mmCIF file of all heavy atoms in Angstrom:
data_model
loop_
_atom_site.group_PDB
_atom_site.id
_atom_site.type_symbol
_atom_site.label_atom_id
_atom_site.label_comp_id
_atom_site.label_asym_id
_atom_site.label_seq_id
_atom_site.Cartn_x
_atom_site.Cartn_y
_atom_site.Cartn_z
ATOM 1 N N GLU C 234 84.945 -119.453 26.114
ATOM 2 C CA GLU C 234 86.059 -119.868 26.958
ATOM 3 C C GLU C 234 87.185 -118.851 26.953
ATOM 4 O O GLU C 234 88.225 -119.080 27.562
ATOM 5 C CB GLU C 234 86.610 -121.197 26.449
ATOM 6 C CG GLU C 234 85.672 -122.339 26.587
ATOM 7 C CD GLU C 234 85.596 -122.839 28.004
ATOM 8 O OE1 GLU C 234 86.415 -122.420 28.825
ATOM 9 O OE2 GLU C 234 84.707 -123.637 28.292
ATOM 10 N N TYR C 235 87.016 -117.753 26.245
ATOM 11 C CA TYR C 235 88.101 -116.800 26.112
ATOM 12 C C TYR C 235 87.946 -115.687 27.131
ATOM 13 O O TYR C 235 86.844 -115.279 27.449
ATOM 14 C CB TYR C 235 88.100 -116.193 24.712
ATOM 15 C CG TYR C 235 88.659 -117.118 23.680
ATOM 16 C CD1 TYR C 235 87.849 -118.008 23.018
ATOM 17 C CD2 TYR C 235 90.014 -117.115 23.380
ATOM 18 C CE1 TYR C 235 88.377 -118.852 22.066
ATOM 19 C CE2 TYR C 235 90.538 -117.951 22.444
ATOM 20 C CZ TYR C 235 89.708 -118.818 21.792
ATOM 21 O OH TYR C 235 90.220 -119.653 20.857
ATOM 22 N N SER C 236 89.087 -115.220 27.658
ATOM 23 C CA SER C 236 89.038 -114.153 28.658
ATOM 24 C C SER C 236 90.251 -113.266 28.421
ATOM 25 O O SER C 236 91.185 -113.655 27.751
ATOM 26 C CB SER C 236 89.089 -114.723 30.064
ATOM 27 O OG SER C 236 90.208 -115.548 30.156
ATOM 28 N N GLY C 237 90.215 -112.083 28.969
ATOM 29 C CA GLY C 237 91.397 -111.237 28.898
ATOM 30 C C GLY C 237 91.692 -110.769 27.499
ATOM 31 O O GLY C 237 90.796 -110.440 26.733
ATOM 32 N N MET C 238 92.960 -110.743 27.160
ATOM 33 C CA MET C 238 93.357 -110.138 25.879
ATOM 34 C C MET C 238 92.824 -110.906 24.703
ATOM 35 O O MET C 238 92.525 -110.331 23.666
ATOM 36 C CB MET C 238 94.895 -110.081 25.838
ATOM 37 C CG MET C 238 95.391 -108.991 24.932
ATOM 38 S SD MET C 238 94.753 -107.431 25.456
ATOM 39 C CE MET C 238 94.726 -106.553 23.945
ATOM 40 N N LYS C 239 92.699 -112.220 24.804
ATOM 41 C CA LYS C 239 92.205 -112.988 23.649
ATOM 42 C C LYS C 239 90.761 -112.623 23.378
ATOM 43 O O LYS C 239 90.332 -112.524 22.214
ATOM 44 C CB LYS C 239 92.329 -114.483 23.919
ATOM 45 C CG LYS C 239 93.744 -114.927 24.143
ATOM 46 C CD LYS C 239 93.836 -116.433 23.983
ATOM 47 C CE LYS C 239 95.119 -116.964 24.563
ATOM 48 N NZ LYS C 239 95.089 -117.086 26.019
ATOM 49 N N PHE C 240 89.973 -112.434 24.429
ATOM 50 C CA PHE C 240 88.594 -112.002 24.219
ATOM 51 C C PHE C 240 88.574 -110.618 23.610
ATOM 52 O O PHE C 240 87.746 -110.307 22.743
ATOM 53 C CB PHE C 240 87.846 -112.016 25.548
ATOM 54 C CG PHE C 240 86.466 -111.478 25.442
ATOM 55 C CD1 PHE C 240 85.480 -112.194 24.817
ATOM 56 C CD2 PHE C 240 86.163 -110.232 25.937
ATOM 57 C CE1 PHE C 240 84.206 -111.714 24.700
ATOM 58 C CE2 PHE C 240 84.896 -109.728 25.813
ATOM 59 C CZ PHE C 240 83.909 -110.462 25.198
ATOM 60 N N ALA C 241 89.518 -109.777 24.074
ATOM 61 C CA ALA C 241 89.597 -108.423 23.500
ATOM 62 C C ALA C 241 89.871 -108.488 22.019
ATOM 63 O O ALA C 241 89.375 -107.668 21.247
ATOM 64 C CB ALA C 241 90.689 -107.628 24.209
ATOM 65 N N LEU C 242 90.664 -109.492 21.595
ATOM 66 C CA LEU C 242 90.952 -109.611 20.156
ATOM 67 C C LEU C 242 89.699 -109.980 19.386
ATOM 68 O O LEU C 242 89.471 -109.482 18.286
ATOM 69 C CB LEU C 242 92.037 -110.654 19.910
ATOM 70 C CG LEU C 242 93.460 -110.214 20.220
ATOM 71 C CD1 LEU C 242 94.412 -111.348 19.969
ATOM 72 C CD2 LEU C 242 93.846 -109.038 19.383
ATOM 73 N N PHE C 243 88.834 -110.853 19.932
ATOM 74 C CA PHE C 243 87.581 -111.178 19.231
ATOM 75 C C PHE C 243 86.683 -109.975 19.133
ATOM 76 O O PHE C 243 86.079 -109.703 18.088
ATOM 77 C CB PHE C 243 86.833 -112.291 19.971
ATOM 78 C CG PHE C 243 87.305 -113.639 19.615
ATOM 79 C CD1 PHE C 243 87.890 -114.464 20.564
ATOM 80 C CD2 PHE C 243 87.169 -114.123 18.332
ATOM 81 C CE1 PHE C 243 88.317 -115.717 20.216
ATOM 82 C CE2 PHE C 243 87.609 -115.366 17.989
ATOM 83 C CZ PHE C 243 88.191 -116.164 18.938
ATOM 84 N N PHE C 244 86.582 -109.270 20.231
ATOM 85 C CA PHE C 244 85.806 -108.053 20.296
ATOM 86 C C PHE C 244 86.296 -107.057 19.251
ATOM 87 O O PHE C 244 85.531 -106.455 18.501
ATOM 88 C CB PHE C 244 86.021 -107.516 21.704
ATOM 89 C CG PHE C 244 84.936 -106.650 22.216
ATOM 90 C CD1 PHE C 244 83.651 -107.108 22.264
ATOM 91 C CD2 PHE C 244 85.218 -105.397 22.686
ATOM 92 C CE1 PHE C 244 82.655 -106.317 22.764
ATOM 93 C CE2 PHE C 244 84.233 -104.594 23.175
ATOM 94 C CZ PHE C 244 82.946 -105.059 23.222
ATOM 95 N N MET C 245 87.651 -106.918 19.238
ATOM 96 C CA MET C 245 88.283 -106.003 18.290
ATOM 97 C C MET C 245 87.949 -106.423 16.873
ATOM 98 O O MET C 245 87.657 -105.596 16.010
ATOM 99 C CB MET C 245 89.799 -106.060 18.508
ATOM 100 C CG MET C 245 90.534 -104.918 17.894
ATOM 101 S SD MET C 245 92.290 -105.186 17.922
ATOM 102 C CE MET C 245 92.616 -105.252 19.641
ATOM 103 N N ALA C 246 87.983 -107.729 16.606
ATOM 104 C CA ALA C 246 87.724 -108.197 15.238
ATOM 105 C C ALA C 246 86.323 -107.816 14.806
ATOM 106 O O ALA C 246 86.105 -107.343 13.697
ATOM 107 C CB ALA C 246 87.910 -109.707 15.170
ATOM 108 N N GLU C 247 85.339 -108.006 15.721
ATOM 109 C CA GLU C 247 83.975 -107.695 15.315
ATOM 110 C C GLU C 247 83.799 -106.215 15.031
ATOM 111 O O GLU C 247 83.224 -105.824 14.016
ATOM 112 C CB GLU C 247 83.001 -108.152 16.407
ATOM 113 C CG GLU C 247 81.587 -107.809 16.066
ATOM 114 C CD GLU C 247 80.619 -108.333 17.088
ATOM 115 O OE1 GLU C 247 80.939 -109.346 17.714
ATOM 116 O OE2 GLU C 247 79.561 -107.705 17.251
ATOM 117 N N TYR C 248 84.322 -105.362 15.893
ATOM 118 C CA TYR C 248 84.123 -103.935 15.690
ATOM 119 C C TYR C 248 84.926 -103.415 14.502
ATOM 120 O O TYR C 248 84.478 -102.555 13.754
ATOM 121 C CB TYR C 248 84.463 -103.152 16.955
ATOM 122 C CG TYR C 248 83.359 -103.207 17.949
ATOM 123 C CD1 TYR C 248 83.212 -104.301 18.775
ATOM 124 C CD2 TYR C 248 82.449 -102.184 18.045
ATOM 125 C CE1 TYR C 248 82.170 -104.367 19.675
ATOM 126 C CE2 TYR C 248 81.411 -102.243 18.941
ATOM 127 C CZ TYR C 248 81.287 -103.334 19.756
ATOM 128 O OH TYR C 248 80.261 -103.399 20.627
ATOM 129 N N GLU C 249 86.122 -103.977 14.314
ATOM 130 C CA GLU C 249 86.906 -103.549 13.148
ATOM 131 C C GLU C 249 86.224 -103.957 11.872
ATOM 132 O O GLU C 249 86.243 -103.241 10.886
ATOM 133 C CB GLU C 249 88.312 -104.140 13.221
ATOM 134 C CG GLU C 249 89.193 -103.391 14.108
ATOM 135 C CD GLU C 249 90.559 -103.978 14.178
ATOM 136 O OE1 GLU C 249 90.843 -104.929 13.434
ATOM 137 O OE2 GLU C 249 91.335 -103.496 14.987
ATOM 138 N N LYS C 250 85.602 -105.149 11.880
ATOM 139 C CA LYS C 250 84.857 -105.554 10.688
ATOM 140 C C LYS C 250 83.714 -104.594 10.435
ATOM 141 O O LYS C 250 83.432 -104.259 9.281
ATOM 142 C CB LYS C 250 84.308 -106.973 10.865
ATOM 143 C CG LYS C 250 85.210 -108.030 10.337
ATOM 144 C CD LYS C 250 84.474 -109.318 10.252
ATOM 145 C CE LYS C 250 85.305 -110.406 10.852
ATOM 146 N NZ LYS C 250 84.589 -111.657 11.006
ATOM 147 N N MET C 251 83.075 -104.136 11.499
ATOM 148 C CA MET C 251 82.000 -103.168 11.317
ATOM 149 C C MET C 251 82.519 -101.908 10.629
ATOM 150 O O MET C 251 81.923 -101.398 9.691
ATOM 151 C CB MET C 251 81.397 -102.736 12.651
ATOM 152 C CG MET C 251 80.252 -103.528 13.133
ATOM 153 S SD MET C 251 79.827 -103.018 14.771
ATOM 154 C CE MET C 251 79.048 -101.451 14.451
ATOM 155 N N ILE C 252 83.661 -101.409 11.107
ATOM 156 C CA ILE C 252 84.220 -100.180 10.532
ATOM 157 C C ILE C 252 84.582 -100.410 9.071
ATOM 158 O O ILE C 252 84.238 -99.614 8.183
ATOM 159 C CB ILE C 252 85.468 -99.727 11.307
ATOM 160 C CG1 ILE C 252 85.115 -99.391 12.724
ATOM 161 C CG2 ILE C 252 86.108 -98.559 10.636
ATOM 162 C CD1 ILE C 252 86.316 -99.020 13.541
ATOM 163 N N VAL C 253 85.268 -101.515 8.810
ATOM 164 C CA VAL C 253 85.749 -101.744 7.441
ATOM 165 C C VAL C 253 84.567 -101.955 6.513
ATOM 166 O O VAL C 253 84.570 -101.497 5.367
ATOM 167 C CB VAL C 253 86.690 -102.950 7.427
ATOM 168 C CG1 VAL C 253 87.050 -103.302 6.028
ATOM 169 C CG2 VAL C 253 87.928 -102.630 8.202
#
Side-chain angles (χ1 to χ4, degrees):
Chain C
E234 294 283 350
Y235 284 89
S236 54
M238 205 58 208
K239 299 198 196 78
F240 175 73
L242 284 179
F243 276 116
F244 205 56
M245 196 191 297
E247 178 176 332
Y248 281 82
E249 279 180 6
K250 267 194 228 171
M251 269 173 74
I252 297 177
V253 173

